[in-house]
Amino acid sequence: MISRAPLPPPPPEIRSWSDQEARLAVRDGAMAELARRGLSAGGLVLLWLLGAVAVVGWAALGLAVRSVETGGLAYATAPAALILGLFLLGAAGVGLALWASRGREVRRRLADWAGVGPVRPDLVTHRRLRATGRCAAWLLPSVALCLLGLRAALPVGGRLMIASEDAVAAQSLVFGDVVYAAGMGATLLLTGVLGLIRSVDHQRWAARYLRRIPDRRGGGAHR
């Protein structure tokens, strides 16, 4: 799903190449590949899968709380549901940390390659670095997940506020359902925010980097 090949660093000797055109061509190809990996479909799917694992973990925790509330035979399922929920949430947390670390490594490699030479006014390479289509493919579903997360979590807060002031509403409140709904909403929101940050961050980086294109004026002078 995601390429695990090492991210290409610039070779130490590349700055001493006498053929600047070859040096910049290698640099541009490496940066385009890094941009592709940083916004790959596999990376987005992995983020969603980790979010789904966390949602299942919250469902298990909600079941554990509800089993305690219900009592009787259901009470026996609480420990197993609790352990399962904590395991799934822990696994999702570790996965998200590794996912974020991979993104930071891509940015470090991009910064390393950016220092190899000046930016060239190559429109094909610039389109590959901007990755507008990939950014949109990350941005739009991420915004949708943020909205879904807010839709799931906000009613929970309203129900808790009503229950704090109304004894009848408090008695009818099922805390297992509250745990699941709040956890699911927070997970969807966090998943959407992470995808949103990755997309916006790449767009901002590309805009700053490509702004460094030399401005050729009369006589071939460079600014």
Side-chain angles (χ1 to χ4, degrees), residues 11-211:
E13 69 277 6
I14 192 172
R15 298 175 192 275
S16 63
W17 289 6
S18 58
D19 189 342
Q20 178 171 307
E21 185 65 24
R23 181 172 75 249
L24 296 182
V26 171
R27 188 274 312 275
D28 292 346
M31 293 185 73
E33 172 64 14
L34 287 168
R36 184 191 67 80
R37 292 199 198 182
L39 293 168
S40 67
L44 183 59
V45 171
L46 177 59
L47 176 62
W48 292 347
L49 288 176
L50 292 171
V53 170
V55 168
V56 175
W58 283 112
L61 288 184
L63 176 61
V65 174
R66 188 161 190 171
S67 298
V68 173
E69 289 180 297
T70 303
L73 294 177
Y75 190 83
T77 66
L82 178 62
I83 293 173
L84 176 62
L86 293 176
F87 172 78
L88 291 175
L89 288 175
V94 171
L96 283 175
L98 294 175
W99 180 89
S101 176
R102 180 75 170 182
R104 289 193 296 269
E105 181 64 19
V106 169
R107 285 298 306 276
R108 283 194 292 268
R109 288 285 184 256
L110 282 170
D112 291 341
W113 278 103
V116 168
V119 182
R120 297 191 301 172
D122 182 344
L123 296 181
V124 174
T125 301
H126 291 180
R127 284 197 295 268
R128 295 171 68 188
L129 288 181
R130 289 186 186 278
T132 304
R134 290 179 179 272
C135 287
W138 278 67
L139 181 67
L140 298 179
S142 296
V143 171
L145 280 179
C146 289
L147 295 177
L148 286 175
L150 290 173
R151 182 179 180 183
L154 289 179
V156 175
R159 290 169 61 188
L160 290 175
M161 292 181 60
I162 293 174
S164 65
E165 301 175 356
D166 189 333
V168 176
Q171 291 178 355
S172 63
L173 192 65
V174 179
F175 284 98
D177 294 342
V178 170
V179 169
Y180 171 63
M184 179 182 65
T187 299
L188 291 175
L189 182 59
L190 176 61
T191 302
V193 167
L194 289 175
L196 189 65
I197 289 174
R198 177 71 65 87
S199 174
V200 172
D201 185 58
H202 181 82
Q203 293 177 67
R204 293 178 61 188
W205 169 83
R208 290 195 302 268
Y209 173 72
L210 297 176
R211 197 177 296 132

